[in-house]
Amino acid sequence: MVETQAKPLPPPVQPDHPDRPASRRALDRGVLLAALLTLFAIGPLFYPGFFLSERGLIVPYEVVGLAERPSPTWLPRLADDPTLAQGPAPYWAARILLLAGLSPSGAVKAVFGGSLILAAVGVYILARRVVRAPRDQPEPVCWPALVAAAIVAALPALADALYVRGNLAEVWALGLLPFALWTSLAAARVVGEEREPDVPTIVIGAVLWAAIGLAHVGLMLAGLFVLAALRPRPEGWTGPAGGVVLAGAVWLVIAARHPITLGMPPAPPLDLAQVFAPPFSPAAARSLGPVAAILLLLSVAPLGVRRPAALALAAAALIALSLSFAAPIWQRLPALLSSPSQLLGVAGIALAVAGAQLVRALDLGRPMAATALAVMALVAGAPVFAAQPLAVREPTSFTPYLVDRDILLLEASLQAEDVRPGGTLTVVLVWQGRRPIGRDLTVFTHLQNSAHVVVAQHDGPPVEGKRPTSGWRPGEPHLDLHPIRIPSPLPPGRYQVVAGMYLPATGDRVGILAPNGRTSDAIMLGEIEIR
């Protein structure tokens, strides 16, 4: 009998994350819980119509404009931001949802809500990797990471970006940032006893960093600053480097078609006196909570809890840049942000992960998670009560004009019930104020012949006098109908429809800025043919 020697068994395959139990790799209920934590924050997005913010309906109308004129070099036309702080990436995402059958406002709300959910889930996954939960943890939930997700779900900076400023690019960037940071920490995998680059993760990371850079360059740079505080392995910088190169290449293509400016007209330049209003701007005042959290993290450092210090210091630096004493710094830097307060969202993500590290280091576990969730439930309910729903007419076309510097004409259309002498032509206008107007203006709608002689008209204050311009709130849209009675008799032919605004006391028309940069005192809405 020939004896055969048994072959040794191959070494067990090492998991990608050796400190994480197999059960948690297979199913982590914390991901679902992190998503559920955002229900309070995204609650107002389930209201019919849209919601009132400083941008109002500009974002849904921009998506309609992209659908009307799709182009690889498309940029928002009415962004009150530096060019590099309002990129096209989130608008293309909304455009895809528009093709899937959603309405313009529904597509935009879906991108807003999806970004908030991604922010909370991404922070949970990022914090779970950073804290490296022990192997013998029986629960399929990383409670310190859930604390971090709760902090982000109730982050005032996110609610402010969405429900106060309506900034799609900012919310999009903050939603993708935690996942981009995670890919940099997970850019290597263990095979046997060796570590080698995880190419799929690196590629995904490059795409995520590029998607952030194509939405908001300033927040991408702030995210890279936080990544440095996380101290990834050398291969962890491959994805961000690829993303920066990819985003830079796309921006160069866009720059060949559009001028990349630090303040697109009609947006005014960055007014530091308004951004840093004494003693604190509202956004800077909201940073006092994160500052207190930083002080808490640093105060426990003498007890041996030093792991959160790097992230806490990174967040402290970002928060400091949003305070009034940082104004001289911003005067010497390119305007990559519409406001320094936008850094507070990135700082909040860094603080959330640092908080998870602190919870793990102090072994607080479930008690701290329960407390954080209770506080989150109270704080995150604020957007539900603060957000104001708007019953709006869905955008159908985008004709942006700037009237009297502070009024936007978002859409204009002609509804002809009977285009013949004795019939009625209804002019449909959608106005929106950018800032408080401060005076009452009258709308004129004229029907004129080829010699520019007015043959019929309808003048009157907006919305039949129910909403005078002096009472308009910034971001609030106004549907304004003007019926023009076509006189009889009237010679057949083609007639032009023009509109604008004037001062009722003097009759002087106010200036109008067209999308092509030309100025006039009337807007050409279209032509009709009378037979």
Side-chain angles (χ1 to χ4, degrees), residues 231-257:
R231 298 191 294 272
R233 295 178 181 272
E235 58 269 15
W237 289 100
T238 308
V244 170
V245 171
L246 181 58
V250 175
W251 276 117
L252 287 176
V253 173
I254 293 176
R257 178 71 181 273

Side-chain angles (χ1 to χ4, degrees), residues 135-180:
R135 184 183 296 273
D136 58 353
Q137 180 178 345
E139 297 87 0
V141 174
C142 180
W143 294 104
L146 198 61
V147 171
I151 293 173
V152 170
L155 193 63
L158 265 174
D160 178 78
L162 201 168
Y163 294 114
V164 177
R165 289 180 281 113
N167 194 317
L168 186 65
E170 181 179 352
V171 177
W172 166 276
L174 294 176
L176 296 183
L177 180 58
F179 285 98

Side-chain angles (χ1 to χ4, degrees), residues 183-467:
T183 59
S184 295
L185 297 183
R189 60 181 178 178
V190 177
V191 179
E193 296 182 356
E194 301 292 334
R195 296 184 64 90
E196 64 180 30
D198 189 343
V199 176
T201 302
I202 291 175
V203 172
I204 294 173
V207 173
L208 289 173
W209 284 105
I212 296 172
L214 289 174
H216 203 301
V217 174
L219 294 185
M220 180 185 69
L221 297 177
L224 292 174
F225 178 67
V226 172
L227 178 61
L230 288 171
R231 298 191 294 272
R233 295 178 181 272
E235 58 269 15
W237 289 100
T238 308
V244 170
V245 171
L246 181 58
V250 175
W251 276 117
L252 287 176
V253 173
I254 293 176
R257 178 71 181 273
H258 305 281
I260 302 299
T261 64
L262 298 182
M264 291 180 62
L270 184 65
D271 188 349
L272 292 174
Q274 294 182 4
V275 171
F276 299 108
F280 295 103
S281 68
R286 285 190 291 272
S287 71
L288 296 180
V291 168
I294 293 176
L295 295 178
L296 173 62
L297 294 174
L298 297 180
S299 66
V300 299
L303 300 177
V305 185
R306 298 183 180 274
R307 293 183 63 187
L311 279 174
L313 289 175
L318 294 175
I319 292 173
L321 288 174
S322 72
L323 299 176
S324 56
F325 61 78
I329 299 176
W330 290 105
Q331 290 173 341
R332 294 173 173 83
L333 290 178
L336 299 177
L337 304 169
S338 55
S339 170
S341 64
Q342 291 185 318
L343 295 175
L344 296 179
V346 181
I349 291 175
L351 280 175
V353 178
Q357 288 181 305
L358 180 62
V359 171
R360 169 60 63 200
L362 296 180
D363 198 21
L364 297 177
R366 283 189 173 184
M368 184 63 179
T371 303
L373 296 179
V375 174
M376 184 281 304
L378 296 175
V379 176
V384 178
F385 300 104
Q388 301 181 41
L390 291 175
V392 298
R393 176 178 180 264
E394 284 293 337
T396 57
S397 63
F398 188 36
T399 55
Y401 286 86
L402 184 64
V403 180
D404 197 31
R405 298 182 60 86
D406 292 325
I407 299 175
L408 292 171
L409 177 63
L410 297 176
E411 181 178 354
S413 60
L414 305 178
Q415 296 180 356
E417 299 175 1
D418 190 5
V419 188
R420 62 181 180 179
T424 300
L425 172 68
T426 300
V427 180
V428 181
L429 306 173
V430 180
W431 306 99
Q432 179 177 300
R434 300 171 71 213
R435 288 180 286 270
I437 310 303
R439 57 181 179 174
D440 290 327
L441 298 174
T442 297
V443 179
F444 69 86
T445 53
H446 291 173
L447 183 67
Q448 60 187 28
N449 58 22
S450 58
H452 303 288
V453 176
V454 177
V455 298
Q457 68 185 81
H458 184 279
D459 294 12
V463 198
E464 299 178 346
K466 299 175 183 177
R467 302 305 304 270

Side-chain angles (χ1 to χ4, degrees), residues 5-193:
Q5 185 177 1
K7 294 181 179 180
L9 295 175
V13 178
Q14 297 293 327
D16 292 346
H17 197 307
D19 295 330
R20 190 175 303 146
S23 61
R24 292 184 61 228
R25 295 196 308 273
L27 175 63
D28 193 331
R29 298 174 187 170
V31 172
L32 177 60
L33 291 176
L36 292 176
L37 289 175
T38 62
L39 287 179
F40 285 103
I42 66 176
L45 299 178
F46 292 98
Y47 296 156
F50 208 62
F51 58 90
L52 179 64
S53 68
E54 292 177 358
R55 276 176 169 80
L57 290 182
I58 289 179
V59 177
Y61 272 102
E62 292 281 14
V63 174
V64 171
L66 173 59
E68 292 175 337
R69 292 172 295 276
S71 169
T73 60
W74 179 89
L75 280 177
R77 306 171 73 181
L78 292 177
D80 286 341
D81 304 271
T83 305
L84 298 179
Q86 195 65 223
Y91 295 90
W92 278 106
R95 166 63 176 148
I96 293 174
L97 295 176
L98 196 64
L99 292 174
L102 272 67
S103 65
S105 60
V108 172
K109 290 193 296 182
V111 175
F112 271 129
S115 298
L116 285 180
I117 294 173
L118 287 176
V121 172
V123 164
Y124 176 84
I125 295 174
L126 173 64
R128 183 184 64 186
R129 185 174 187 92
V130 169
V131 302
R132 296 181 181 271
R135 184 183 296 273
D136 58 353
Q137 180 178 345
E139 297 87 0
V141 174
C142 180
W143 294 104
L146 198 61
V147 171
I151 293 173
V152 170
L155 193 63
L158 265 174
D160 178 78
L162 201 168
Y163 294 114
V164 177
R165 289 180 281 113
N167 194 317
L168 186 65
E170 181 179 352
V171 177
W172 166 276
L174 294 176
L176 296 183
L177 180 58
F179 285 98
L181 295 171
W182 175 84
T183 59
S184 295
L185 297 183
R189 60 181 178 178
V190 177
V191 179
E193 296 182 356

